[in-house]
Amino acid sequence: MGIGNPFQVYFLIWFFIIGVYSLSSDSFIPVSPEFFFLILVAKVLSFVILLVASGKSNAGIVINQASVVWVPRGKILLFAQLLALVAIPLTYQKARELSGGTDIFTVEGYMRLRSSMTEDGQGFGILVYFSILSHVISSIRVVDFARRRTGGVLLLISVLSSLAYIYMGTGRTYILLLGLLMVIPLVVFGFVRVKGLVLSALIFMLMFFGVAAMTAKGVAVDAGSSENAGSLFNNMRSYTVAPLIAFSRLERIGSEVSLGEYSFRFFVSMLNAAGLFGVKPVALIKGYEFVPDATNVYTVYEVYFRDFSYVGIFIPPLFLIGHWLLYKRATLFGGRWVFLYASSVYPLVMQFFQDQYFSLFSMWLQIWFWYWILLRRPGVVRIRWKSH
């Protein structure tokens, strides 16, 4: 089906999660066999979708990167990049304000900034939209550079701008978002292969550890290497396997059926803000569960289980259909579809962690809007066939 297709991503992620749990199950709370059977049935549904998709795949069709017709809107793209660049000092001032005037380039100041957003519910307001814009611009710039081998300075400025927003946002998952938006288009267009993927993964892992050190999440600058390695392993385990175990406890205890209150939170928020709906949207940040690692995320299944009980567990596998349709259009037509597919890989990768589909619907609207504005409509694409 081609490198980087959604089924590769999906099954690789879940194989890794289940594999790590199998090797360290004794260190977690007991999980019933019935729960894993339920998860297995969901994976069987995913595999059935794979079989159907493979029978209808574009057998051997690949993009000829030399003939793909996609052109960024140069002047609009440059203007948008200037806007994102100008907003950085304003975002920095707001970050200093959120940290109580403490230097955010120190561990203490950075942790205060993080605490004000996660515990006090404060944020950057309208400035947060420039962060998403910066990520979109970086993804366009890197593909444009790979295609034409020009524009390296603009690419560097864009990436540094994105990293600045990520740093001030304190969220490590934004590193993953930026990485996927930049790397997946290169993979689909054929500019990057396995070695490039490995190198890209190492670079973004280093950035991930840098943010972890500043927030004292698994890495401490004043600790030894062995101590950091053990702490980092425990922290990574709490972010990878622990969400699935936490969801098993939620499934065992049960939850009142909410009938869309969680899945359609974005629309509830909009109606509530407009004064047309008297119910406040549910909180995105949940309470901690100890499995025994502390975690407040419960995999992609949590939202749909709370809304539709056991039927909801079979909703996330259906998202593979949408991912596959985007991937098919990306490989057939290139252009915007490649970037739209790249953005969809992020919630696919994060399924083991928490729902990033409907919960982040506002962000997806922003990303798709910017790609639609900053890229011209692709023309007819010539394709070449691989021999069977």
Side-chain angles (χ1 to χ4, degrees):
M1 292 183 173
I3 186 172
N5 75 73
F7 297 104
Q8 283 181 341
V9 177
Y10 178 85
F11 286 108
L12 180 63
I13 291 294
W14 281 109
F15 180 82
F16 173 79
I17 298 300
I18 299 298
V20 172
Y21 171 76
S22 300
L23 296 175
S24 57
S25 58
D26 293 340
S27 59
F28 288 101
I29 63 173
V31 179
S32 68
E34 292 79 10
F35 171 77
F36 277 110
F37 177 76
L38 186 65
I39 297 298
L40 177 62
V41 174
K43 302 308 169 195
V44 169
L45 175 59
S46 304
F47 190 72
V48 170
I49 296 173
L50 165 63
L51 294 178
V52 174
S54 64
K56 298 180 178 297
S57 65
N58 312 317
I61 294 181
V62 295
I63 290 179
N64 183 347
Q65 64 190 38
S67 62
V68 169
V69 181
W70 77 275
V71 181
R73 301 180 188 272
K75 294 182 179 180
I76 298 178
L77 181 62
L78 183 60
F79 178 72
Q81 187 168 350
L82 288 174
L83 283 179
L85 193 61
V86 168
I88 290 179
L90 301 176
T91 306
Y92 172 72
Q93 291 180 359
K94 184 63 177 179
R96 285 291 301 266
E97 177 185 327
L98 294 175
S99 66
T102 310
D103 184 6
I104 65 171
F105 294 102
T106 63
V107 174
E108 178 186 359
Y110 200 67
M111 291 183 66
R112 285 190 180 184
L113 172 61
R114 176 68 175 171
S115 176
S116 68
M117 291 189 289
T118 56
E119 298 179 11
D120 301 333
Q122 302 183 60
F124 289 93
I126 195 174
L127 293 171
V128 73
Y129 296 113
F130 291 99
S131 175
I132 299 299
L133 173 60
S134 178
H135 298 345
V136 169
I137 293 171
S138 293
S139 67
I140 296 174
R141 289 293 187 199
V142 73
V143 175
D144 195 40
F145 176 77
R147 184 172 65 107
R148 300 190 298 122
R149 297 298 176 182
T150 60
V153 174
L154 290 174
L155 170 61
L156 179 61
I157 293 174
S158 179
V159 172
L160 291 177
S161 299
S162 296
L163 294 178
Y165 281 112
I166 289 174
Y167 182 85
M168 290 184 285
T170 73
R172 285 170 289 173
T173 55
Y174 291 121
I175 298 175
L176 176 63
L177 174 62
L178 175 63
L180 292 173
L181 288 179
M182 294 180 64
V183 174
I184 295 299
L186 295 176
V187 172
V188 177
F189 278 123
F191 293 110
V192 168
R193 292 299 177 184
V194 177
K195 290 182 179 180
L197 280 174
V198 173
L199 179 60
S200 301
L202 291 175
I203 292 173
F204 284 101
M205 282 180 64
L206 289 175
M207 291 191 291
F208 181 91
F209 294 150
V211 176
M214 293 299 291
T215 53
K217 293 288 187 178
V219 179
V221 293
D222 56 347
S225 57
S226 58
E227 183 180 351
N228 271 331
S231 178
L232 182 63
F233 173 78
N234 292 330
N235 184 256
M236 291 293 291
R237 196 181 73 153
S238 68
Y239 276 93
T240 53
V241 181
L244 181 63
I245 311 305
F247 176 66
S248 73
R249 175 170 287 185
L250 174 66
E251 181 271 334
R252 179 171 56 84
I253 297 174
S255 176
E256 182 180 351
V257 178
S258 301
L259 296 177
E261 188 177 353
Y262 288 83
S263 305
F264 304 107
R265 181 185 181 277
F266 169 75
F267 302 101
V268 173
S269 300
M270 289 190 62
L271 293 174
N272 184 68
L276 302 176
F277 200 60
V279 179
K280 291 185 177 181
V282 295
L284 286 176
I285 301 178
K286 308 296 191 303
Y288 278 92
E289 195 74 48
F290 296 91
V291 296
D293 301 337
T295 181
N296 61 345
V297 289
Y298 302 81
T299 75
V300 68
Y301 298 110
E302 178 233 350
V303 167
Y304 307 100
F305 178 76
R306 290 184 185 273
D307 276 345
F308 309 109
S309 188
Y310 287 97
V311 175
I313 295 179
F314 301 100
I315 293 178
L318 299 179
F319 293 150
L320 280 169
I321 300 173
H323 288 292
W324 173 243
L325 292 176
L326 281 174
Y327 180 75
K328 281 185 67 177
R329 296 196 72 85
T331 54
L332 277 173
F333 304 114
R336 294 177 182 141
W337 294 107
V338 174
F339 295 94
L340 297 182
Y341 170 67
S343 66
S344 77
V345 175
Y346 175 73
L348 180 62
V349 170
M350 293 292 284
Q351 281 201 10
F352 75 93
F353 189 69
Q354 65 180 161
D355 175 62
Q356 303 281 0
Y357 289 96
F358 287 95
S359 299
L360 294 182
F361 193 73
S362 173
M363 187 176 78
W364 302 129
L365 286 179
Q366 294 175 56
I367 290 176
W368 285 40
F369 170 79
W370 287 124
Y371 278 133
W372 217 255
I373 293 296
L374 300 177
L375 293 173
R376 295 178 185 175
R377 182 178 179 180
V380 177
V381 180
R382 297 194 305 273
I383 56 178
R384 55 186 172 86
W385 290 80
K386 287 180 178 178
S387 58
H388 292 280

